[in-house]
CSV table of all heavy atoms in Angstrom, one decimal:
chain,number,residue,atom,x,y,z
A,91,PHE,N,79.9,123.3,118.9
A,91,PHE,CA,81.1,122.7,118.2
A,91,PHE,C,82.3,123.0,119.3
A,91,PHE,O,83.1,123.9,119.0
A,91,PHE,CB,81.4,123.5,117.0
A,91,PHE,CG,82.4,122.8,116.2
A,91,PHE,CD1,82.4,121.4,115.8
A,91,PHE,CD2,83.5,123.5,115.6
A,91,PHE,CE1,83.4,120.7,115.2
A,91,PHE,CE2,84.4,122.8,114.7
A,91,PHE,CZ,84.3,121.4,114.6
A,170,PRO,N,84.3,125.8,109.8
A,170,PRO,CA,84.9,124.8,110.5
A,170,PRO,C,84.8,123.5,109.6
A,170,PRO,O,85.3,122.5,110.1
A,170,PRO,CB,84.2,124.7,111.7
A,170,PRO,CG,82.9,125.2,111.5
A,170,PRO,CD,83.0,126.2,110.3
A,171,GLU,N,84.0,123.5,108.7
A,171,GLU,CA,83.8,122.3,107.7
A,171,GLU,C,83.4,122.8,106.3
A,171,GLU,O,82.7,124.0,106.3
A,171,GLU,CB,82.9,121.2,108.3
A,171,GLU,CG,81.5,121.8,108.6
A,171,GLU,CD,80.5,120.8,108.9
A,171,GLU,OE1,80.9,119.7,109.4
A,171,GLU,OE2,79.4,121.0,108.8
A,173,ALA,N,81.0,121.3,104.6
A,173,ALA,CA,79.6,120.9,104.4
A,173,ALA,C,78.6,122.0,104.3
A,173,ALA,O,77.7,122.0,103.4
A,173,ALA,CB,79.3,119.9,105.4
A,203,ARG,N,89.9,125.0,112.3
A,203,ARG,CA,89.4,124.8,113.7
A,203,ARG,C,90.5,125.2,114.6
A,203,ARG,O,91.6,124.9,114.4
A,203,ARG,CB,89.2,123.2,113.8
A,203,ARG,CG,87.9,122.8,112.9
A,203,ARG,CD,87.6,121.3,113.0
A,203,ARG,NE,86.7,120.9,112.1
A,203,ARG,CZ,86.2,119.7,111.9
A,203,ARG,NH1,86.7,118.7,112.6
A,203,ARG,NH2,85.4,119.4,111.0
A,205,GLU,N,91.9,124.1,117.0
A,205,GLU,CA,92.4,122.9,117.8
A,205,GLU,C,93.0,123.4,119.1
A,205,GLU,O,94.0,124.2,119.0
A,205,GLU,CB,93.2,122.0,117.0
A,205,GLU,CG,92.5,121.5,115.8
A,205,GLU,CD,91.5,120.2,116.1
A,205,GLU,OE1,91.5,119.9,117.3
A,205,GLU,OE2,90.8,119.8,115.2
A,212,ILE,N,100.9,116.8,109.9
A,212,ILE,CA,99.8,117.4,109.3
A,212,ILE,C,98.4,116.5,109.5
A,212,ILE,O,97.4,116.8,108.9
A,212,ILE,CB,100.0,117.5,107.7
A,212,ILE,CG1,100.3,116.0,107.1
A,212,ILE,CG2,100.9,118.4,107.3
A,212,ILE,CD1,100.2,115.9,105.6
A,213,PHE,N,98.5,115.8,110.6
A,213,PHE,CA,97.2,115.0,111.0
A,213,PHE,C,96.4,115.8,111.6
A,213,PHE,O,95.2,115.9,111.3
A,213,PHE,CB,97.7,113.8,112.0
A,213,PHE,CG,96.5,113.1,112.5
A,213,PHE,CD1,96.0,112.0,111.7
A,213,PHE,CD2,95.9,113.3,113.7
A,213,PHE,CE1,94.9,111.4,112.1
A,213,PHE,CE2,94.7,112.7,114.0
A,213,PHE,CZ,94.2,111.7,113.3
A,214,ARG,N,96.7,116.7,112.6
A,214,ARG,CA,95.8,117.6,113.3
A,214,ARG,C,96.3,119.1,113.1
A,214,ARG,O,97.2,119.4,113.7
A,214,ARG,CB,95.6,117.2,114.8
A,214,ARG,CG,94.4,117.9,115.3
A,214,ARG,CD,94.2,117.6,116.8
A,214,ARG,NE,93.8,116.1,116.9
A,214,ARG,CZ,92.6,115.5,116.7
A,214,ARG,NH1,91.7,116.3,116.2
A,214,ARG,NH2,92.5,114.2,116.8
A,215,LEU,N,95.6,119.8,112.2
A,215,LEU,CA,96.0,121.2,111.9
A,215,LEU,C,94.9,122.2,112.3
A,215,LEU,O,93.8,121.6,112.5
A,215,LEU,CB,96.2,121.3,110.3
A,215,LEU,CG,97.3,120.4,109.7
A,215,LEU,CD1,97.2,120.3,108.4
A,215,LEU,CD2,98.6,121.0,110.0
A,216,ARG,N,95.2,123.3,112.3
A,216,ARG,CA,94.2,124.4,112.5
A,216,ARG,C,93.6,124.9,111.2
A,216,ARG,O,92.5,125.3,111.1
A,216,ARG,CB,94.7,125.5,113.5
A,216,ARG,CG,95.2,125.1,114.8
A,216,ARG,CD,95.3,126.1,115.8
A,216,ARG,NE,95.7,125.5,117.2
A,216,ARG,CZ,96.9,125.2,117.6
A,216,ARG,NH1,98.0,125.5,116.9
A,216,ARG,NH2,97.0,124.6,118.7
A,218,PHE,N,93.0,123.3,107.4
A,218,PHE,CA,93.3,122.1,106.7
A,218,PHE,C,92.3,122.1,105.6
A,218,PHE,O,91.6,123.0,105.3
A,218,PHE,CB,93.1,120.8,107.5
A,218,PHE,CG,91.7,120.8,108.3
A,218,PHE,CD1,90.7,120.0,107.9
A,218,PHE,CD2,91.7,121.6,109.5
A,218,PHE,CE1,89.6,119.9,108.6
A,218,PHE,CE2,90.4,121.5,110.2
A,218,PHE,CZ,89.4,120.7,109.7
A,219,GLU,N,92.4,121.0,104.7
A,219,GLU,CA,91.5,120.9,103.6
A,219,GLU,C,90.6,119.6,103.8
A,219,GLU,O,91.0,118.6,104.2
A,219,GLU,CB,92.2,120.8,102.3
A,219,GLU,CG,92.4,122.2,101.7
A,219,GLU,CD,92.9,122.3,100.4
A,219,GLU,OE1,92.2,122.1,99.3
A,219,GLU,OE2,94.1,122.6,100.2
A,220,GLN,N,89.4,119.8,103.3
A,220,GLN,CA,88.4,118.6,103.4
A,220,GLN,C,87.9,118.4,101.8
A,220,GLN,O,87.9,119.3,101.1
A,220,GLN,CB,87.1,119.0,104.2
A,220,GLN,CG,87.5,119.0,105.7
A,220,GLN,CD,86.3,119.2,106.5
A,220,GLN,OE1,85.5,119.9,106.1
A,220,GLN,NE2,86.1,118.5,107.7
A,222,GLU,N,84.4,116.9,100.6
A,222,GLU,CA,83.2,116.3,101.3
A,222,GLU,C,82.1,116.2,100.2
A,222,GLU,O,82.0,116.9,99.2
A,222,GLU,CB,82.8,117.3,102.3
A,222,GLU,CG,83.7,117.4,103.6
A,222,GLU,CD,82.9,117.9,104.8
A,222,GLU,OE1,82.6,119.1,104.7
A,222,GLU,OE2,82.7,117.2,105.8
A,224,GLU,N,77.8,115.6,100.2
A,224,GLU,CA,76.5,115.5,100.7
A,224,GLU,C,75.5,114.7,99.7
A,224,GLU,O,75.4,115.1,98.5
A,224,GLU,CB,75.8,116.8,101.1
A,224,GLU,CG,76.7,117.6,102.0
A,224,GLU,CD,77.0,117.0,103.3
A,224,GLU,OE1,76.3,116.1,103.8
A,224,GLU,OE2,78.1,117.4,103.9
A,288,GLU,N,91.3,108.4,113.2
A,288,GLU,CA,90.5,108.7,112.1
A,288,GLU,C,91.1,109.2,110.9
A,288,GLU,O,91.9,110.3,110.8
A,288,GLU,CB,89.3,109.7,112.6
A,288,GLU,CG,88.4,109.9,111.6
A,288,GLU,CD,87.3,111.1,112.1
A,288,GLU,OE1,87.3,111.3,113.2
A,288,GLU,OE2,86.7,111.7,111.2
A,289,LEU,N,90.7,108.7,109.7
A,289,LEU,CA,91.2,109.1,108.4
A,289,LEU,C,90.0,109.9,107.8
A,289,LEU,O,90.2,111.0,107.4
A,289,LEU,CB,91.7,108.1,107.7
A,289,LEU,CG,92.0,108.4,106.2
A,289,LEU,CD1,93.0,109.4,106.0
A,289,LEU,CD2,92.5,106.9,105.4
A,290,PHE,N,88.9,109.0,107.6
A,290,PHE,CA,87.7,109.6,106.9
A,290,PHE,C,86.5,109.3,107.8
A,290,PHE,O,86.5,108.5,108.7
A,290,PHE,CB,87.5,108.9,105.6
A,290,PHE,CG,88.5,109.0,104.6
A,290,PHE,CD1,88.7,107.8,103.8
A,290,PHE,CD2,89.3,110.1,104.4
A,290,PHE,CE1,89.7,107.9,102.8
A,290,PHE,CE2,90.3,110.0,103.5
A,290,PHE,CZ,90.5,109.1,102.6
A,291,GLY,N,85.3,109.9,107.5
A,291,GLY,CA,84.2,109.7,108.2
A,291,GLY,C,83.0,109.5,107.2
A,291,GLY,O,83.0,109.9,106.1
A,328,GLU,N,76.7,111.5,104.4
A,328,GLU,CA,77.8,112.4,104.2
A,328,GLU,C,79.2,111.7,104.3
A,328,GLU,O,79.7,111.3,105.3
A,328,GLU,CB,77.8,113.5,105.3
A,328,GLU,CG,78.8,114.4,105.3
A,328,GLU,CD,79.1,115.5,106.4
A,328,GLU,OE1,79.2,115.0,107.6
A,328,GLU,OE2,78.7,116.6,106.2
A,330,THR,N,83.0,112.0,104.2
A,330,THR,CA,84.0,113.2,104.4
A,330,THR,C,85.3,112.6,104.4
A,330,THR,O,85.6,111.6,105.0
A,330,THR,CB,83.6,114.1,105.7
A,330,THR,OG1,84.6,115.0,105.8
A,330,THR,CG2,83.5,113.2,106.9
A,331,PHE,N,86.3,113.4,103.7
A,331,PHE,CA,87.7,112.9,103.6
A,331,PHE,C,88.5,114.1,104.0
A,331,PHE,O,88.5,115.1,103.5
A,331,PHE,CB,88.0,112.7,102.1
A,331,PHE,CG,87.2,111.6,101.5
A,331,PHE,CD1,85.8,111.9,101.2
A,331,PHE,CD2,87.6,110.5,101.0
A,331,PHE,CE1,85.1,111.0,100.5
A,331,PHE,CE2,86.9,109.6,100.4
A,331,PHE,CZ,85.5,109.8,100.1
A,332,GLY,N,89.5,113.8,104.9
A,332,GLY,CA,90.5,115.0,105.2
A,332,GLY,C,91.5,114.8,104.3
A,332,GLY,O,92.2,113.9,104.1
A,333,LEU,N,91.7,116.0,103.5
A,333,LEU,CA,92.9,115.9,102.4
A,333,LEU,C,94.3,115.8,103.0
A,333,LEU,O,95.1,115.0,102.5
A,333,LEU,CB,92.8,117.3,101.5
A,333,LEU,CG,93.7,117.3,100.5
A,333,LEU,CD1,93.8,116.1,99.5
A,333,LEU,CD2,93.5,118.6,99.7
A,334,ASP,N,94.5,116.5,104.1
A,334,ASP,CA,95.9,116.4,104.7
A,334,ASP,C,96.2,115.1,105.3
A,334,ASP,O,97.3,114.6,105.1
A,334,ASP,CB,96.1,117.6,105.6
A,334,ASP,CG,95.7,118.9,105.1
A,334,ASP,OD1,94.6,119.3,105.1
A,334,ASP,OD2,96.7,119.5,104.5
A,335,ARG,N,95.1,114.6,105.8
A,335,ARG,CA,95.3,113.1,106.4
A,335,ARG,C,95.6,112.2,105.2
A,335,ARG,O,96.3,111.2,105.4
A,335,ARG,CB,94.2,112.8,107.3
A,335,ARG,CG,94.2,113.5,108.6
A,335,ARG,CD,93.1,113.0,109.5
A,335,ARG,NE,93.0,114.0,110.8
A,335,ARG,CZ,92.2,114.0,111.7
A,335,ARG,NH1,91.3,113.0,111.8
A,335,ARG,NH2,92.3,114.8,112.5
B,1,GAP,N1,81.2,117.6,107.8
B,1,GAP,C1,81.7,116.5,108.6
B,1,GAP,C2,83.0,116.8,109.3
B,1,GAP,O1,83.6,117.9,109.2
B,1,GAP,P1,84.7,115.6,110.9
B,1,GAP,O2,84.9,114.3,111.3
B,1,GAP,O3,84.6,116.7,111.9
B,1,GAP,O4,83.4,115.7,109.9
B,1,GAP,C3,86.0,115.4,108.6
B,1,GAP,O5,85.9,116.0,109.8
B,1,GAP,C4,87.4,114.9,108.3
B,1,GAP,O6,88.2,116.1,108.3
B,1,GAP,C5,88.1,114.1,109.4
B,1,GAP,O7,87.8,112.7,109.1
B,1,GAP,C6,89.5,114.3,109.2
B,1,GAP,O8,90.1,113.6,108.0
B,1,GAP,C7,89.5,115.8,108.7
B,1,GAP,N2,89.9,116.7,109.8
B,1,GAP,C8,89.1,117.0,110.9
B,1,GAP,N3,89.8,117.8,111.7
B,1,GAP,C9,91.0,117.9,111.2
B,1,GAP,C10,92.1,118.7,111.7
B,1,GAP,N4,92.2,119.4,112.7
B,1,GAP,N5,93.2,118.6,110.9
B,1,GAP,C11,93.3,117.8,109.8
B,1,GAP,N6,92.3,117.2,109.3
B,1,GAP,C12,91.1,117.2,110.0
Side-chain angles (χ1 to χ4, degrees):
F91 195 52
E171 59 172 19
R203 292 183 190 177
E205 298 280 357
I212 54 168
F213 177 83
R214 193 176 298 284
L215 297 163
R216 298 195 172 90
F218 56 100
E219 270 187 79
Q220 291 182 319
E222 292 200 295
E224 303 304 331
E288 179 184 340
L289 170 64
F290 303 148
E328 181 189 67
T330 175
F331 305 66
L333 176 58
D334 306 86
R335 289 185 191 178

